[in-house]
Amino acid sequence: MAEPVSSRASTVTLGVPKETLEDEKRVALIPDVVKRYTAAGVNVVVETGAGASAYYTDEAYAAAGATIVPDAAALYAAAEVILKVRAPQEHELGLLRSGQALFAFLAPLSQTELAADLAQRGVIAISMDAIPRTTRAQSMDALSSMGTVAGYKAALLAADFNPRFFPMLMTAAGTIPPAKVLIIGAGVAGLQAIATARRLGGVVESYDTRPVVKEQVESLGAKFVEVDMTGIQVETQDSGGYAREASPELLRRQQETMARHTIKSDAVISTAAVPGRPAPKLIMADTVRQMAPGSVIVDLAAETGGNCELTVPGEVVVRHGVTIIGMINLPSTMPYHSSQMYAKNLQNLLALFINKEGQFHLNFEDDIVQGVVISNGGEIVHAATKARMQSA
């Protein structure tokens, strides 16, 4: 068993609570990463059962040098830095104290009330979904890591729910043509979906508002779908590398193009999302009516309303003979590797917050630190979140 937290009080104590959101199976740190911290003299406390759903045992954490505590109250009381996957629930907010740091997916552009609450409590809130899309920050980009998992799982779901084979088969009963797969959005999730659908044998095409990704799409063996942009001047991504909301005219043209390609597809995986905004509607109800019976739509944007007009967030429904999968939080369905990737992202980000002496500090001269800290000193310090709150 590791030393008591109090015996090493000169260094920061990291706390890993058990996730309380229903169906959330991930954990913020895994034993291998915990071992790196404890070997460096940093204290780590883990709530009992925190990693159980992701197949990481209390015994593995204890062997890595962590102190296992019996409940969330003990953990929050012992740790200066709380490491979570999902934002704290109501009962967890009451356990947070002023000056305590919290790392989690906080979605500050849409969950502005939560951001304000954390600021009011004096919590140093760091959002894992606010990491800049820069080369230097790639190893910390948890959204990209989770997008990789979601894209992979989406392609498997599209094949699993489909009544057709994905690959072309030459059989004694005749030749079976390959499935036609459309991927909408060629970010990390979309590119992983392309790669996985191709490995499964599908004929894949993909669309993205950013023409710059055409080369990436084609390098994976997919055909790039282009929308006529004549007469439209539009910035497709912001300074942080995230997608911008489309103009009404661009959205209309996207819908028309997606309709033509969706109708002839056996499977569609949609991943288009805009941070802090409802997902753009790219697949309309009339388009679904024209799809072949048995076709499948996997809507990865379901959590923010869905790219398909008929998506029901959190459910799998059949409309006009088409199966529409609106499952949310797909990374949690593969918790072992999702947790592994998230823990590594956290480790790389924490390197900017924990100095060589093992103490927590804030360096706002660092562009990544500036980009991810949402609240500090009782105030909202994140520029985009502050602007969203003011506009609201």
Side-chain angles (χ1 to χ4, degrees), residues 138-152:
Q138 280 183 348
S139 66
M140 313 164 195
D141 191 350
L143 276 182
S144 290
S145 293
M146 298 305 101
T148 297
V149 181
Y152 170 81

Side-chain angles (χ1 to χ4, degrees), residues 47-69:
E47 182 182 355
T48 184
S53 294
Y55 305 98
Y56 298 102
T57 66
D58 286 352
E59 291 76 14
Y61 283 106
T67 299
I68 307 300
V69 295

